[in-house]
Amino acid sequence: MDDELRVRRLPEYQSSDRADLDAILDDALVAHLGVVRDGRPVVLPFACARDGDGLLLHGSTGAGVLRRGVDAEVCVTVTHLDGLVFARSLFESSVHYRSAVVLGVAEVLEGERKERALEVLSDHLLPGRSGELRTSTRKELAATLVLRVPLERWSVKIGRSDAHDPEDDEPRDVWAGIVPLWLAAGRPEPAPDVPDGVAVPASARRAAARGGRLAP
């Protein structure tokens, strides 16, 4: 394994299984992109979607941080917080998480590759929405930047520790356990100018079902 991507803190949590990487990226709606701009590190969030062996990032052509990330190595990270671990001491308390780090050179997509990537991104964020709307105009495409980072150099770390404490004098009448966390969606809310009787589209219903639980 690339030494730069080796997990040194709790190395037993590192996974080399590509399926784990894919699952983390497929569950992600936002990735954080790190680049060096004017000699200083900059980390910003961007909408993302995995497309086979590449990670797509959606932005604006006016975003200088993306333009400067082109043809230079970037670092992209995704983290899911899945639970809070309540131990009987603050030191042993922790979190359940899944994280991925991807290193690579960001490629700007153009032409048909760009249009296809935008459909992939849109349908990941808004499942099936691209089939419900008109195609993008030339002006809209010109204002949109799509980057692709190859999934060749990556590292995955998955933390799933139990709420345990060393065999010492910690009192057992103090509660310990796990508080699960997950992504929940609210009910679709129409825009103010949507006429009465216009049904909620399938794409919005799918997005509302994301995470397996609907907020009240």
Side-chain angles (χ1 to χ4, degrees):
M1 173 179 286
D2 188 330
D3 191 61
E4 188 175 11
L5 294 168
R6 189 179 303 278
V7 172
R8 290 172 172 77
R9 167 64 177 160
L10 300 174
E12 64 272 21
Y13 288 177
Q14 183 164 22
S15 172
S16 59
D17 190 340
R18 172 59 192 266
D20 286 335
L21 172 70
D22 290 351
I24 290 171
L25 298 181
D26 289 347
D27 283 347
L29 302 179
V30 173
H32 286 82
L33 171 72
V35 299
V36 175
R37 182 173 66 184
D38 298 330
R40 296 182 178 180
V42 178
V43 178
L44 293 173
F46 293 96
C48 68
R50 184 180 69 89
D51 184 23
D53 290 329
L55 181 62
L56 304 176
L57 302 172
H58 177 278
S60 166
T61 53
V65 65
L66 283 178
R67 287 200 307 272
R68 299 186 188 203
V70 176
D71 297 329
E73 187 166 277
V74 300
C75 176
V76 185
T77 64
V78 168
T79 302
H80 299 291
L81 189 60
D82 296 323
L84 303 175
V85 180
F86 287 73
R88 293 183 175 87
S89 68
L90 292 179
F91 181 79
E92 294 294 342
S93 297
S94 184
V95 296
H96 283 179
Y97 61 89
R98 293 168 292 143
S99 63
V101 175
V102 179
L103 302 179
V105 176
E107 173 192 8
V108 176
L109 300 186
E110 300 288 357
E112 293 183 0
R113 294 180 68 200
K114 178 180 181 179
E115 293 184 41
R116 180 187 172 279
L118 284 172
E119 289 187 3
V120 172
L121 279 158
S122 297
D123 286 340
H124 176 63
L125 297 167
L126 317 170
R129 190 60 167 165
S130 66
E132 299 171 349
L133 303 177
R134 62 168 174 78
T135 58
S136 298
T137 65
R138 290 185 179 181
K139 182 178 180 180
E140 290 168 342
L141 290 172
T144 306
L145 182 68
V146 180
L147 298 183
R148 180 185 182 276
V149 181
L151 298 177
E152 297 172 352
R153 300 179 61 212
W154 52 270
S155 178
V156 164
K157 189 177 181 183
I158 301 174
R160 283 288 184 273
S161 62
D162 293 327
H164 67 275
D165 292 275
E167 294 297 329
D168 52 23
D169 59 355
E170 294 288 350
R172 287 311 186 252
D173 59 352
V174 174
W175 188 87
I178 308 295
V179 174
L181 301 175
W182 54 81
L183 179 68
R187 300 186 184 280
E189 299 178 358
D193 58 352
V194 173
D196 293 339
V198 176
V200 175
S203 60
R205 294 197 301 271
R206 294 189 192 103
R210 180 179 277 130
R213 187 165 295 202
L214 191 65

